[in-house]
Amino acid sequence: MWIFQCNILAFLLLFVGQFNTFALQDVTADLFASENYGTLAAFGDFYADKQTDMFIIREQSELVIFMADSKIPYFKPKAHITKDIFRRDTIITGVVPGDYDGDSQMDVLLTTQIQNTELTTVFIFWGNNQTLDMSGWLRLNKTFTDQPLVMDFNGDMIPDIFGTTNADLTEVCYLTNRIQVWRNGVKLSVNLRSPHSNCFHRPQQGLHRRFVPDN
């Protein structure tokens, strides 16, 4: 029995010793080449090719969508929302991909804040043939006191935007056909916690879900 146990131990040591150098590898260059900086904010199949793409925030004010590829680098920057669209002191606090107008193309929702303020402004960039329509984006005409919750509120399989608006009301915004329709979200008088359990909270030091340091 003792000899059998020694043989098993020797086999395990040989097996682990042979493969331990392959357990952890730095594959950053293979994945992103020289584009490996920013904050990883979301995942989604933006290109509709059944591969997971990445949504990266850079300098807290720009968004780059990296498309999955079968060749090195395996993620390549394909779509870019530049900071020129926003006010100079705007900070992107959250990214939520989804089909908000029901046209079967992935859109991109951005939550933003002006530096040193608390209200959250929402922008929608519409998907257009596996890219973004940079000329027809939408800014919601109400702001939120915290990060809104994206959910299918009315059960039509299209994501809606739910939260407490600057009017101190719990409301939901429907965007079918790209038209804003606001409705009371909760009939009872309730106050949502801030931050609530589904929000993308941004502390003073920076965003959560850090990817790799900005340059």
Side-chain angles (χ1 to χ4, degrees):
M1 179 64 70
W2 182 82
I3 296 176
F4 175 77
Q5 291 176 341
C6 288
N7 288 337
I8 292 295
L9 179 60
F11 173 78
L12 291 175
L13 290 174
L14 177 63
F15 182 83
V16 173
Q18 181 179 358
F19 292 98
N20 65 350
T21 56
F22 301 98
L24 296 176
Q25 299 182 57
D26 185 357
V27 296
T28 305
D30 290 342
L31 294 177
F32 303 100
S34 61
E35 298 285 343
N36 62 333
Y37 63 97
T39 301
L40 178 56
F43 300 92
D45 182 10
F46 183 77
Y47 205 60
D49 58 357
K50 297 183 179 180
Q51 297 191 72
T52 301
D53 307 311
M54 294 189 179
F55 297 72
I56 308 296
I57 299 173
R58 287 185 172 170
E59 298 179 358
Q60 296 187 311
S61 58
E62 297 187 343
L63 181 74
V64 182
I65 303 176
F66 283 74
M67 306 297 186
D69 198 306
S70 60
K71 298 180 181 179
I72 295 177
Y74 295 112
F75 290 94
K76 297 178 173 65
K78 295 294 185 180
H80 189 192
I81 299 176
T82 66
K83 60 185 178 182
D84 299 333
I85 293 175
F86 311 110
R87 283 180 45 175
R88 178 179 296 182
D89 50 355
T90 297
I91 296 174
I92 297 175
T93 57
V95 181
V96 188
D99 179 15
Y100 293 94
D101 57 353
D103 65 353
S104 299
Q105 297 196 58
M106 181 173 284
D107 312 309
V108 178
L109 178 150
L110 298 183
T111 60
T112 67
Q113 286 184 342
I114 304 300
Q115 287 184 353
N116 302 319
T117 63
E118 297 297 330
L119 294 179
T120 294
T121 301
V122 173
F123 293 84
I124 309 287
F125 293 84
W126 306 110
N128 181 26
N129 294 325
Q130 299 176 339
T131 185
L132 291 176
D133 181 3
M134 300 308 300
S135 62
W137 49 268
L138 174 69
R139 174 179 173 175
L140 296 193
N141 53 22
K142 295 186 180 183
T143 56
F144 293 89
T145 59
D146 194 9
Q147 294 288 317
L149 171 62
V150 174
M151 60 185 296
D152 181 9
F153 193 83
N154 59 356
D156 63 355
M157 305 300 290
I158 299 175
D160 310 306
I161 306 166
F162 174 88
T164 303
T165 63
N166 56 333
D168 201 26
L169 296 173
T170 302
E171 299 185 76
V172 59
C173 180
Y174 305 111
L175 291 170
T176 307
N177 299 321
R178 305 186 182 183
I179 299 174
Q180 299 183 56
V181 178
W182 293 87
R183 295 286 185 267
N184 289 335
V186 180
K187 293 182 179 180
L188 300 176
S189 178
V190 296
N191 294 318
L192 297 181
R193 290 184 178 273
S194 179
H196 57 80
S197 60
N198 293 284
C199 80
F200 188 112
H201 184 54
R202 174 188 165 275
Q204 293 299 320
Q205 293 80 4
L207 289 163
H208 285 313
R209 289 189 275 186
R210 196 66 178 163
F211 175 41
V212 284
D214 287 335
N215 284 349

